[in-house]
Amino acid sequence: MGRLQFSHGLNIVITTTFVSLLAMPIVGPALPVLQEEFGISNRDIGWVVMSTYTVPALLFVPIFGYLADRFSKKAVLLPSMILFSLCGGAISLAPNTETIIALRFLQGIGASAIATLNIALVPDLFSGRDRLTVMGWTGVVQGIGSGVLPLIGGLLAFLIWYLPFMAALMGLPLSLYIYFYLKNISPPKKAKKTNYAAHAWKHLADRRVVELCFFTFGYIFVGFGAFVSYIPSFLASTFGSGPLLIGVIIAARALSGALTASFLNQLTLKFSSRSLVVSSFFVLGLGIVSIPLVTGPLGVIFAAFCYGAGFGVTRPLLQVHLFELAPDDLRATFASANGLALRFAQTISPLSAGFLISWTNFGTMYLAAGTIAFLMMILAFYGNSLSAENTKMA
């Protein structure tokens, strides 16, 4: 990882990335306890806690992107962080399921801004290869957090069901830090006079931008749908694996993702962006198609490492190149576009995988997902957005 000097901007990007994880990975282990506490069925627990949190992003991510570019990122991030934190903490006081649904929806609105603007701040605060280094650090935080937070959440839920939800309150002291130390960078005056819709469409319709967002969509569609959403069911139904073993196997992806993300800057000095993205899709496809061939649960760790390793490279690298194409007054909008691609993939991929499993079986689903990864590899090989000319970094 490249060296960066201490700065408030770096602290805010890293800590905001961490706080954005305090409503999903850490909450998962609490779901069975929550079901027992409020009498929520297996059929309903997913949408009560998870879907009500993620759905707001489909509407509010582009809205927050617009507001951040028209006014300032600080003006949007600060109240969103407070909303996220207070609603998460308030779940501990929820008397019924309806209150939980309402609070998770409101918390999801706040998270829609946090998960977009933590990345959109990077091109504002850093330049050249420092951007790549910082994006690598955010990948490390996401990787470690995704692996460690479920373990912490399980311990907290063992004590009291609502403690994992209260972790979101850590965003309140961060809000104070943001208020005092985040520079309030206002958009250029000419940006406010510009017809935003026409200006944004002109740049977002760039083929290179569409390609980069599509690559993000493709990687998440395969990884989230085939691996994250259905590996637990595959392991339990095929090998009778318990929650602890499943948790360890899933955590393996976080380990490999954090490792590759930490070396992202060095990797881009030795290999082209095209070769890194192509290799990531190849490794992802190889891991996914290997799943039906394993003879025991530990064999799935190979797929976990493949998925995580590719994610640690592809996700931050695509974001950096996207920001290189973004005008200064549309950085939050570009981050929103990429965020929408990710959320859309997370929304439809489990449905697609579940539909295929219901008609065939796990093996067919994993072979189909691996085939999609290999097709994405071919598209990345020929994509104009990953040419040497379009991926130069100072």
Side-chain angles (χ1 to χ4, degrees):
M1 185 74 70
R3 292 184 179 181
L4 278 176
Q5 293 183 343
F6 166 87
S7 70
H8 294 302
L10 177 60
N11 289 342
I12 289 171
V13 170
I14 296 301
T15 53
T16 303
T17 299
F18 176 75
V19 168
S20 70
L21 301 173
L22 297 180
M24 287 287 274
I26 198 171
V27 166
L31 297 187
V33 188
L34 188 68
Q35 286 182 261
E36 184 177 348
E37 183 74 19
F38 290 92
I40 305 172
S41 67
N42 288 327
R43 182 195 65 186
D44 294 333
I45 188 62
W47 72 263
V48 166
V49 178
M50 296 304 188
S51 294
T52 53
Y53 175 80
T54 58
V55 163
L58 299 177
L59 173 63
F60 287 96
V61 161
I63 293 176
F64 286 137
Y66 165 76
L67 293 175
D69 281 331
R70 293 297 93 180
F71 301 100
S72 76
K73 296 177 180 64
K74 182 176 181 177
V76 176
L77 180 60
L78 186 57
S80 298
M81 182 69 71
I82 295 172
L83 177 66
F84 171 87
S85 302
L86 291 179
C87 289
I91 290 176
S92 65
L93 305 175
N96 50 47
T97 303
E98 290 75 15
T99 304
I100 293 176
I101 293 172
L103 290 172
R104 284 292 281 179
F105 185 86
L106 292 173
Q107 188 182 27
I109 294 176
S112 299
I114 297 171
T116 299
L117 298 184
N118 71 316
I119 300 302
L121 285 172
V122 174
D124 281 355
L125 302 174
F126 305 93
S127 61
R129 300 198 71 86
D130 282 348
R131 288 181 182 175
L132 195 61
T133 301
V134 174
M135 290 303 301
W137 277 113
T138 63
V140 172
V141 172
Q142 290 171 336
I144 295 177
S146 297
V148 174
L149 287 177
L151 302 178
I152 297 175
L155 176 61
L156 293 176
F158 177 77
L159 299 175
I160 306 177
W161 71 266
Y162 56 75
L163 288 181
F165 293 93
M166 292 188 69
L169 290 172
M170 293 175 63
L172 290 180
L174 178 56
S175 298
L176 289 175
Y177 191 78
I178 291 172
Y179 177 78
F180 287 109
Y181 294 108
L182 178 60
K183 296 179 181 179
N184 194 19
I185 303 175
S186 298
K189 291 183 179 180
K190 65 177 182 180
K192 296 183 178 181
K193 298 179 181 179
T194 305
N195 183 319
Y196 173 82
H199 180 52
W201 176 255
K202 173 184 175 182
H203 292 279
L204 289 174
D206 186 324
R207 175 184 170 182
R208 296 169 297 175
V209 175
V210 175
E211 282 184 4
L212 292 172
C213 291
F214 184 67
F215 292 147
T216 295
F217 169 86
Y219 200 93
I220 300 302
F221 182 85
V222 174
F224 190 82
F227 188 87
V228 176
S229 299
Y230 280 99
I231 275 296
S233 299
F234 171 78
L235 289 171
S237 62
T238 305
F239 302 112
S241 304
L244 180 60
L245 179 58
I246 292 174
V248 171
I249 291 174
I250 293 177
R253 72 182 175 95
L255 176 63
S256 62
L259 185 63
T260 54
S262 68
F263 287 99
L264 181 59
N265 202 1
Q266 292 91 321
L267 288 171
T268 58
L269 290 173
K270 295 182 178 180
F271 305 100
S272 69
S273 294
R274 186 189 300 281
S275 63
L276 289 173
V277 174
V278 168
S279 298
S280 295
F281 276 114
F282 174 75
V283 170
L284 172 65
L286 191 64
I288 294 297
V289 298
S290 74
I291 294 174
L293 306 177
V294 300
T295 57
L298 294 182
V300 180
I301 290 181
F302 172 73
F305 275 124
C306 289
Y307 170 49
F311 185 86
V313 171
T314 300
R315 175 83 171 124
L317 186 58
L318 292 176
Q319 288 175 317
V320 168
H321 291 317
L322 194 63
F323 285 134
E324 293 294 325
L325 298 173
D328 292 349
D329 59 335
L330 288 178
R331 286 169 175 168
T333 299
F334 270 54
S336 298
N338 201 43
L340 272 178
L342 183 146
R343 289 294 190 188
F344 186 55
Q346 288 179 329
T347 300
I348 69 171
S349 59
L351 299 176
S352 302
F355 177 79
L356 191 55
I357 291 171
S358 67
W359 277 87
T360 56
N361 52 49
F362 277 109
T364 302
M365 185 272 288
Y366 283 119
L367 290 175
T371 300
I372 294 174
F374 291 134
L375 290 174
M376 292 299 301
M377 175 191 72
I378 296 173
L379 292 176
F381 183 81
Y382 290 105
N384 183 52
S385 60
L386 297 175
S387 67
E389 180 182 356
N390 288 320
T391 55
K392 291 180 180 178
M393 284 179 286

Short mmCIF file of all heavy atoms in Angstrom, two decimals, residues 87-142:
data_model
loop_
_atom_site.label_atom_id
_atom_site.label_comp_id
_atom_site.label_asym_id
_atom_site.label_seq_id
_atom_site.Cartn_x
_atom_site.Cartn_y
_atom_site.Cartn_z
N CYS A 87 -31.45 6.35 13.95
CA CYS A 87 -32.45 5.32 13.62
C CYS A 87 -31.94 3.93 13.98
O CYS A 87 -32.71 3.08 14.44
CB CYS A 87 -32.81 5.40 12.14
SG CYS A 87 -33.78 6.86 11.72
N GLY A 88 -30.64 3.69 13.77
CA GLY A 88 -30.07 2.41 14.16
C GLY A 88 -30.15 2.19 15.66
O GLY A 88 -30.56 1.12 16.13
N GLY A 89 -29.76 3.22 16.42
CA GLY A 89 -29.82 3.11 17.87
C GLY A 89 -31.24 2.99 18.39
O GLY A 89 -31.51 2.29 19.38
N ALA A 90 -32.20 3.67 17.72
CA ALA A 90 -33.59 3.67 18.19
C ALA A 90 -34.25 2.31 18.06
O ALA A 90 -35.27 2.06 18.71
CB ALA A 90 -34.38 4.72 17.41
N ILE A 91 -33.69 1.43 17.24
CA ILE A 91 -34.28 0.10 17.09
C ILE A 91 -34.27 -0.64 18.44
O ILE A 91 -35.12 -1.49 18.70
CB ILE A 91 -33.52 -0.70 16.01
CG1 ILE A 91 -33.83 -0.10 14.63
CG2 ILE A 91 -33.88 -2.18 16.03
CD1 ILE A 91 -33.06 -0.74 13.49
N SER A 92 -33.34 -0.30 19.30
CA SER A 92 -33.29 -0.93 20.63
C SER A 92 -34.53 -0.61 21.45
O SER A 92 -34.84 -1.33 22.40
CB SER A 92 -32.04 -0.46 21.38
OG SER A 92 -32.10 0.93 21.65
N LEU A 93 -35.25 0.46 21.09
CA LEU A 93 -36.45 0.86 21.81
C LEU A 93 -37.73 0.44 21.10
O LEU A 93 -38.83 0.75 21.57
CB LEU A 93 -36.46 2.39 22.00
CG LEU A 93 -35.23 3.00 22.67
CD1 LEU A 93 -35.33 4.52 22.67
CD2 LEU A 93 -35.06 2.47 24.09
N ALA A 94 -37.60 -0.25 19.96
CA ALA A 94 -38.75 -0.60 19.14
C ALA A 94 -39.69 -1.54 19.90
O ALA A 94 -39.26 -2.60 20.37
CB ALA A 94 -38.31 -1.24 17.84
N PRO A 95 -40.98 -1.18 19.99
CA PRO A 95 -41.94 -2.04 20.70
C PRO A 95 -42.54 -3.13 19.83
O PRO A 95 -43.14 -4.08 20.34
CB PRO A 95 -43.01 -1.05 21.15
CG PRO A 95 -43.01 0.00 20.07
CD PRO A 95 -41.58 0.10 19.60
N ASN A 96 -42.42 -2.98 18.49
CA ASN A 96 -43.06 -3.95 17.61
C ASN A 96 -42.35 -4.00 16.26
O ASN A 96 -41.45 -3.20 15.99
CB ASN A 96 -44.54 -3.61 17.42
CG ASN A 96 -44.74 -2.16 17.02
OD1 ASN A 96 -44.07 -1.63 16.12
ND2 ASN A 96 -45.66 -1.49 17.71
N THR A 97 -42.78 -4.94 15.42
CA THR A 97 -42.15 -5.13 14.11
C THR A 97 -42.35 -3.93 13.21
O THR A 97 -41.44 -3.56 12.45
CB THR A 97 -42.74 -6.38 13.43
OG1 THR A 97 -42.57 -7.51 14.28
CG2 THR A 97 -42.06 -6.65 12.10
N GLU A 98 -43.52 -3.30 13.27
CA GLU A 98 -43.79 -2.15 12.42
C GLU A 98 -42.80 -1.01 12.67
O GLU A 98 -42.37 -0.34 11.73
CB GLU A 98 -45.23 -1.65 12.64
CG GLU A 98 -46.31 -2.57 12.13
CD GLU A 98 -46.53 -3.80 13.00
OE1 GLU A 98 -46.04 -3.80 14.16
OE2 GLU A 98 -47.18 -4.76 12.55
N THR A 99 -42.43 -0.82 13.91
CA THR A 99 -41.47 0.23 14.25
C THR A 99 -40.10 -0.11 13.69
O THR A 99 -39.38 0.78 13.20
CB THR A 99 -41.39 0.42 15.78
OG1 THR A 99 -42.70 0.70 16.29
CG2 THR A 99 -40.46 1.57 16.13
N ILE A 100 -39.72 -1.36 13.77
CA ILE A 100 -38.43 -1.79 13.22
C ILE A 100 -38.39 -1.52 11.72
O ILE A 100 -37.39 -1.02 11.18
CB ILE A 100 -38.18 -3.29 13.50
CG1 ILE A 100 -38.00 -3.51 15.00
CG2 ILE A 100 -36.95 -3.79 12.74
CD1 ILE A 100 -37.85 -4.97 15.39
N ILE A 101 -39.48 -1.85 11.02
CA ILE A 101 -39.54 -1.63 9.57
C ILE A 101 -39.36 -0.15 9.26
O ILE A 101 -38.57 0.23 8.37
CB ILE A 101 -40.88 -2.14 9.01
CG1 ILE A 101 -40.96 -3.66 9.12
CG2 ILE A 101 -41.06 -1.70 7.56
CD1 ILE A 101 -42.32 -4.23 8.77
N ALA A 102 -40.05 0.72 9.99
CA ALA A 102 -39.96 2.16 9.75
C ALA A 102 -38.56 2.68 10.02
O ALA A 102 -38.01 3.47 9.23
CB ALA A 102 -40.98 2.90 10.61
N LEU A 103 -37.96 2.24 11.12
CA LEU A 103 -36.62 2.72 11.48
C LEU A 103 -35.56 2.21 10.50
O LEU A 103 -34.64 2.95 10.15
CB LEU A 103 -36.28 2.29 12.90
CG LEU A 103 -37.05 3.00 14.02
CD1 LEU A 103 -36.77 2.36 15.38
CD2 LEU A 103 -36.68 4.49 14.06
N ARG A 104 -35.69 0.97 10.05
CA ARG A 104 -34.72 0.44 9.08
C ARG A 104 -34.84 1.17 7.75
O ARG A 104 -33.84 1.41 7.07
CB ARG A 104 -34.94 -1.06 8.87
CG ARG A 104 -34.42 -1.92 10.00
CD ARG A 104 -32.93 -1.92 10.09
NE ARG A 104 -32.30 -2.80 9.11
CZ ARG A 104 -30.99 -2.97 8.97
NH1 ARG A 104 -30.15 -2.27 9.72
NH2 ARG A 104 -30.50 -3.78 8.06
N PHE A 105 -36.06 1.54 7.36
CA PHE A 105 -36.24 2.28 6.12
C PHE A 105 -35.57 3.65 6.22
O PHE A 105 -34.85 4.07 5.31
CB PHE A 105 -37.73 2.44 5.81
CG PHE A 105 -38.02 3.09 4.49
CD1 PHE A 105 -38.07 2.33 3.33
CD2 PHE A 105 -38.20 4.46 4.39
CE1 PHE A 105 -38.32 2.92 2.09
CE2 PHE A 105 -38.45 5.07 3.16
CZ PHE A 105 -38.51 4.29 2.01
N LEU A 106 -35.79 4.35 7.33
CA LEU A 106 -35.17 5.66 7.54
C LEU A 106 -33.65 5.54 7.62
O LEU A 106 -32.92 6.38 7.09
CB LEU A 106 -35.72 6.31 8.80
CG LEU A 106 -37.20 6.73 8.75
CD1 LEU A 106 -37.67 7.20 10.12
CD2 LEU A 106 -37.40 7.82 7.71
N GLN A 107 -33.18 4.49 8.29
CA GLN A 107 -31.74 4.27 8.37
C GLN A 107 -31.17 4.02 6.99
O GLN A 107 -30.06 4.47 6.66
CB GLN A 107 -31.43 3.08 9.29
CG GLN A 107 -29.94 2.92 9.59
CD GLN A 107 -29.65 1.70 10.45
OE1 GLN A 107 -30.39 0.72 10.44
NE2 GLN A 107 -28.55 1.76 11.19
N GLY A 108 -31.92 3.31 6.14
CA GLY A 108 -31.48 3.06 4.78
C GLY A 108 -31.38 4.33 3.95
O GLY A 108 -30.53 4.43 3.06
N ILE A 109 -32.24 5.31 4.23
CA ILE A 109 -32.15 6.59 3.54
C ILE A 109 -30.82 7.26 3.88
O ILE A 109 -30.11 7.76 3.00
CB ILE A 109 -33.33 7.50 3.92
CG1 ILE A 109 -34.64 6.91 3.39
CG2 ILE A 109 -33.12 8.91 3.36
CD1 ILE A 109 -35.88 7.70 3.80
N GLY A 110 -30.48 7.27 5.16
CA GLY A 110 -29.20 7.85 5.56
C GLY A 110 -28.02 7.10 4.96
O GLY A 110 -27.05 7.71 4.50
N ALA A 111 -28.12 5.78 4.94
CA ALA A 111 -27.04 4.96 4.38
C ALA A 111 -26.85 5.20 2.89
O ALA A 111 -25.74 5.05 2.38
CB ALA A 111 -27.33 3.48 4.63
N SER A 112 -27.93 5.58 2.19
CA SER A 112 -27.83 5.84 0.75
C SER A 112 -26.84 6.95 0.46
O SER A 112 -26.12 6.90 -0.56
CB SER A 112 -29.21 6.20 0.20
OG SER A 112 -30.12 5.16 0.38
N ALA A 113 -26.79 7.94 1.33
CA ALA A 113 -25.83 9.04 1.14
C ALA A 113 -24.44 8.62 1.59
O ALA A 113 -23.44 8.92 0.92
CB ALA A 113 -26.29 10.27 1.92
N ILE A 114 -24.34 7.93 2.72
CA ILE A 114 -23.04 7.57 3.27
C ILE A 114 -22.27 6.68 2.31
O ILE A 114 -21.08 6.91 2.03
CB ILE A 114 -23.21 6.85 4.62
CG1 ILE A 114 -23.85 7.79 5.65
CG2 ILE A 114 -21.87 6.34 5.14
CD1 ILE A 114 -24.26 7.10 6.93
N ALA A 115 -22.93 5.65 1.79
CA ALA A 115 -22.26 4.68 0.91
C ALA A 115 -21.87 5.27 -0.43
O ALA A 115 -21.06 4.70 -1.16
CB ALA A 115 -23.16 3.47 0.70
N THR A 116 -22.45 6.43 -0.79
CA THR A 116 -22.10 7.10 -2.04
C THR A 116 -21.03 8.15 -1.82
O THR A 116 -20.04 8.22 -2.53
CB THR A 116 -23.35 7.76 -2.66
OG1 THR A 116 -24.31 6.76 -2.95
CG2 THR A 116 -22.99 8.48 -3.94
N LEU A 117 -21.22 8.97 -0.79
CA LEU A 117 -20.35 10.13 -0.60
C LEU A 117 -19.00 9.78 0.02
O LEU A 117 -18.04 10.53 -0.15
CB LEU A 117 -21.07 11.19 0.24
CG LEU A 117 -22.35 11.73 -0.39
CD1 LEU A 117 -22.95 12.83 0.47
CD2 LEU A 117 -22.08 12.25 -1.80
N ASN A 118 -18.91 8.65 0.74
CA ASN A 118 -17.60 8.29 1.27
C ASN A 118 -16.61 8.06 0.13
O ASN A 118 -15.42 8.36 0.25
CB ASN A 118 -17.70 7.04 2.15
CG ASN A 118 -17.99 5.77 1.36
OD1 ASN A 118 -18.82 5.77 0.47
ND2 ASN A 118 -17.29 4.70 1.69
N ILE A 119 -17.11 7.56 -1.01
CA ILE A 119 -16.27 7.34 -2.18
C ILE A 119 -16.14 8.62 -3.00
O ILE A 119 -15.06 8.94 -3.53
CB ILE A 119 -16.86 6.21 -3.05
CG1 ILE A 119 -16.94 4.91 -2.24
CG2 ILE A 119 -16.00 6.01 -4.30
CD1 ILE A 119 -15.61 4.43 -1.69
N ALA A 120 -17.22 9.39 -3.10
CA ALA A 120 -17.19 10.62 -3.89
C ALA A 120 -16.25 11.66 -3.30
O ALA A 120 -15.78 12.57 -4.01
CB ALA A 120 -18.60 11.21 -4.00
N LEU A 121 -15.94 11.53 -2.01
CA LEU A 121 -15.00 12.47 -1.38
C LEU A 121 -13.57 12.25 -1.84
O LEU A 121 -12.75 13.17 -1.80
CB LEU A 121 -15.05 12.32 0.15
CG LEU A 121 -16.27 12.91 0.87
CD1 LEU A 121 -16.25 12.49 2.34
CD2 LEU A 121 -16.27 14.43 0.76
N VAL A 122 -13.26 11.03 -2.28
CA VAL A 122 -11.87 10.69 -2.62
C VAL A 122 -11.30 11.59 -3.71
O VAL A 122 -10.21 12.16 -3.54
CB VAL A 122 -11.75 9.20 -3.01
CG1 VAL A 122 -10.34 8.88 -3.51
CG2 VAL A 122 -12.11 8.32 -1.82
N PRO A 123 -11.96 11.79 -4.86
CA PRO A 123 -11.37 12.66 -5.88
C PRO A 123 -11.35 14.13 -5.47
O PRO A 123 -10.58 14.92 -6.03
CB PRO A 123 -12.28 12.45 -7.11
CG PRO A 123 -13.56 11.95 -6.55
CD PRO A 123 -13.20 11.14 -5.35
N ASP A 124 -12.18 14.52 -4.50
CA ASP A 124 -12.14 15.90 -4.00
C ASP A 124 -10.91 16.14 -3.14
O ASP A 124 -10.32 17.22 -3.16
CB ASP A 124 -13.38 16.20 -3.16
CG ASP A 124 -14.60 16.50 -4.01
OD1 ASP A 124 -14.45 16.56 -5.25
OD2 ASP A 124 -15.69 16.66 -3.44
N LEU A 125 -10.52 15.12 -2.38
CA LEU A 125 -9.47 15.30 -1.38
C LEU A 125 -8.11 14.77 -1.81
O LEU A 125 -7.09 15.12 -1.20
CB LEU A 125 -9.89 14.58 -0.08
CG LEU A 125 -11.22 15.05 0.54
CD1 LEU A 125 -11.58 14.17 1.73
CD2 LEU A 125 -11.13 16.51 0.97
N PHE A 126 -8.08 13.94 -2.86
CA PHE A 126 -6.82 13.33 -3.28
C PHE A 126 -6.70 13.38 -4.80
O PHE A 126 -7.70 13.52 -5.51
CB PHE A 126 -6.74 11.87 -2.80
CG PHE A 126 -6.94 11.71 -1.32
CD1 PHE A 126 -8.20 11.44 -0.81
CD2 PHE A 126 -5.88 11.86 -0.44
CE1 PHE A 126 -8.41 11.31 0.55
CE2 PHE A 126 -6.07 11.74 0.92
CZ PHE A 126 -7.33 11.47 1.43
N SER A 127 -5.49 13.24 -5.28
CA SER A 127 -5.26 13.28 -6.73
C SER A 127 -4.24 12.22 -7.12
O SER A 127 -3.53 11.67 -6.27
CB SER A 127 -4.76 14.67 -7.16
OG SER A 127 -3.53 14.98 -6.51
N GLY A 128 -4.16 11.96 -8.43
CA GLY A 128 -3.17 11.01 -8.96
C GLY A 128 -3.27 9.64 -8.34
O GLY A 128 -4.36 9.12 -8.07
N ARG A 129 -2.13 9.06 -8.05
CA ARG A 129 -2.10 7.70 -7.52
C ARG A 129 -2.53 7.64 -6.06
O ARG A 129 -2.85 6.57 -5.54
CB ARG A 129 -0.70 7.10 -7.70
CG ARG A 129 -0.24 7.00 -9.16
CD ARG A 129 0.92 6.02 -9.30
NE ARG A 129 0.45 4.65 -9.11
CZ ARG A 129 -0.07 3.90 -10.07
NH1 ARG A 129 -0.24 4.36 -11.29
NH2 ARG A 129 -0.44 2.66 -9.80
N ASP A 130 -2.56 8.81 -5.39
CA ASP A 130 -3.08 8.82 -4.03
C ASP A 130 -4.54 8.38 -4.00
O ASP A 130 -5.00 7.78 -3.03
CB ASP A 130 -2.95 10.22 -3.41
CG ASP A 130 -1.53 10.52 -2.96
OD1 ASP A 130 -0.71 9.57 -2.90
OD2 ASP A 130 -1.24 11.69 -2.66
N ARG A 131 -5.27 8.71 -5.05
CA ARG A 131 -6.66 8.26 -5.13
C ARG A 131 -6.74 6.74 -5.11
O ARG A 131 -7.57 6.14 -4.41
CB ARG A 131 -7.32 8.78 -6.41
CG ARG A 131 -7.60 10.26 -6.43
CD ARG A 131 -8.28 10.65 -7.74
NE ARG A 131 -8.51 12.09 -7.80
CZ ARG A 131 -8.99 12.72 -8.86
NH1 ARG A 131 -9.28 12.03 -9.96
NH2 ARG A 131 -9.18 14.03 -8.84
N LEU A 132 -5.87 6.11 -5.86
CA LEU A 132 -5.85 4.65 -5.94
C LEU A 132 -5.48 4.06 -4.59
O LEU A 132 -6.06 3.06 -4.15
CB LEU A 132 -4.86 4.20 -7.01
CG LEU A 132 -4.96 2.75 -7.48
CD1 LEU A 132 -6.33 2.49 -8.10
CD2 LEU A 132 -3.87 2.45 -8.48
N THR A 133 -4.52 4.68 -3.91
CA THR A 133 -4.10 4.19 -2.60
C THR A 133 -5.24 4.28 -1.60
O THR A 133 -5.50 3.33 -0.84
CB THR A 133 -2.90 5.01 -2.09
OG1 THR A 133 -1.81 4.88 -3.01
CG2 THR A 133 -2.45 4.51 -0.72
N VAL A 134 -5.95 5.41 -1.60
CA VAL A 134 -7.06 5.58 -0.67
C VAL A 134 -8.18 4.59 -0.98
O VAL A 134 -8.78 4.00 -0.08
CB VAL A 134 -7.59 7.03 -0.72
CG1 VAL A 134 -8.84 7.17 0.15
CG2 VAL A 134 -6.53 7.99 -0.24
N MET A 135 -8.47 4.40 -2.28
CA MET A 135 -9.50 3.43 -2.65
C MET A 135 -9.10 2.02 -2.22
O MET A 135 -9.94 1.21 -1.83
CB MET A 135 -9.74 3.47 -4.16
CG MET A 135 -10.42 4.74 -4.65
SD MET A 135 -12.00 5.05 -3.85
CE MET A 135 -12.88 3.56 -4.28
N GLY A 136 -7.80 1.74 -2.28
CA GLY A 136 -7.32 0.45 -1.78
C GLY A 136 -7.57 0.30 -0.30
O GLY A 136 -7.99 -0.77 0.17
N TRP A 137 -7.34 1.40 0.46
CA TRP A 137 -7.60 1.36 1.89
C TRP A 137 -9.08 1.14 2.20
O TRP A 137 -9.43 0.42 3.13
CB TRP A 137 -7.11 2.65 2.56
CG TRP A 137 -5.66 2.64 2.88
CD1 TRP A 137 -4.68 3.42 2.33
CD2 TRP A 137 -4.99 1.81 3.84
NE1 TRP A 137 -3.45 3.12 2.88
CE2 TRP A 137 -3.61 2.14 3.80
CE3 TRP A 137 -5.42 0.81 4.72
CZ2 TRP A 137 -2.68 1.51 4.62
CZ3 TRP A 137 -4.48 0.18 5.53
CH2 TRP A 137 -3.13 0.53 5.47
N THR A 138 -9.96 1.76 1.41
CA THR A 138 -11.38 1.54 1.64
C THR A 138 -11.74 0.08 1.38
O THR A 138 -12.58 -0.50 2.07
CB THR A 138 -12.25 2.45 0.75
OG1 THR A 138 -12.03 2.14 -0.63
CG2 THR A 138 -11.93 3.92 0.99
N GLY A 139 -11.07 -0.53 0.39
CA GLY A 139 -11.29 -1.95 0.12
C GLY A 139 -10.83 -2.82 1.27
O GLY A 139 -11.48 -3.82 1.61
N VAL A 140 -9.72 -2.45 1.89
CA VAL A 140 -9.23 -3.19 3.06
C VAL A 140 -10.23 -3.10 4.20
O VAL A 140 -10.56 -4.10 4.85
CB VAL A 140 -7.85 -2.64 3.51
CG1 VAL A 140 -7.44 -3.26 4.83
CG2 VAL A 140 -6.80 -2.92 2.44
N VAL A 141 -10.73 -1.89 4.45
CA VAL A 141 -11.70 -1.70 5.53
C VAL A 141 -12.97 -2.51 5.27
O VAL A 141 -13.50 -3.17 6.16
CB VAL A 141 -12.04 -0.20 5.68
CG1 VAL A 141 -13.20 -0.01 6.65
CG2 VAL A 141 -10.82 0.57 6.16
N GLN A 142 -13.44 -2.47 4.02
CA GLN A 142 -14.64 -3.23 3.68
C GLN A 142 -14.40 -4.73 3.82
O GLN A 142 -15.27 -5.46 4.31
CB GLN A 142 -15.08 -2.90 2.25
CG GLN A 142 -15.65 -1.50 2.10
CD GLN A 142 -15.88 -1.12 0.65
OE1 GLN A 142 -15.25 -1.66 -0.26
NE2 GLN A 142 -16.77 -0.17 0.42
#
